[in-house]
Amino acid sequence: MNKVILMGRLTRDPEIRYGGANNTAVAKFSFAVPRKFKRDNEPDCDFINCTAFGKTAEFIEKYCMKGTKLLLEGRWQTGSYTNLSLIHISEPTRP
């Protein structure tokens, strides 16, 4: 099972695009999730890049902006690539 539930706030206004065969809405946004415990010299929240599709993306476009508090439910997916310096990068792509 691949399921994640996050609560936090948008760190910037969502970027909305329409594309694909059915002109589907795609929303990309950054999400800050506060940590329960803070250690010395560590940030007190995690920043996660998210992508939403279809009706969810349209809802985000209409009702959400920087600072909006949300509860997200979705799946976690990672992607990897090799950058121009030939360093292999692995990062989350969306919850």
Side-chain angles (χ1 to χ4, degrees), residues 2-57:
N2 183 359
K3 183 176 184 178
V4 65
I5 300 171
L6 303 169
M7 186 181 335
R9 294 186 181 272
L10 295 181
T11 61
R12 57 184 161 88
D13 290 337
E15 298 174 19
I16 309 297
R17 295 188 181 159
Y18 291 86
N22 297 330
N23 207 24
T24 304
V26 179
K28 293 190 177 212
F29 54 96
S30 179
F31 196 63
V33 179
R35 292 184 181 175
K36 190 172 184 177
F37 301 103
K38 183 179 177 184
R39 295 186 178 146
D40 293 336
N41 299 324
E42 285 191 10
D44 57 351
C45 61
D46 294 304
F47 296 93
I48 301 168
N49 293 320
C50 301
T51 306
F53 301 94
K55 295 286 184 188
T56 304

Side-chain angles (χ1 to χ4, degrees), residues 1 3 8 10-12 19 21 33 35 39 45 50 52 54 59 63 71-72 78 80 82 89 93:
M1 173 188 258
K3 183 176 184 178
L10 295 181
T11 61
R12 57 184 161 88
V33 179
R35 292 184 181 175
R39 295 186 178 146
C45 61
C50 301
F59 178 88
Y63 297 108
L71 178 68
L72 299 180
T78 60
S80 61
T82 303
I89 307 293
T93 56

Side-chain angles (χ1 to χ4, degrees), residues 66-81:
K66 180 179 177 178
T68 302
K69 189 172 188 177
L70 295 174
L71 178 68
L72 299 180
E73 179 181 333
R75 66 186 172 94
W76 190 267
Q77 182 177 332
T78 60
S80 61
Y81 61 93

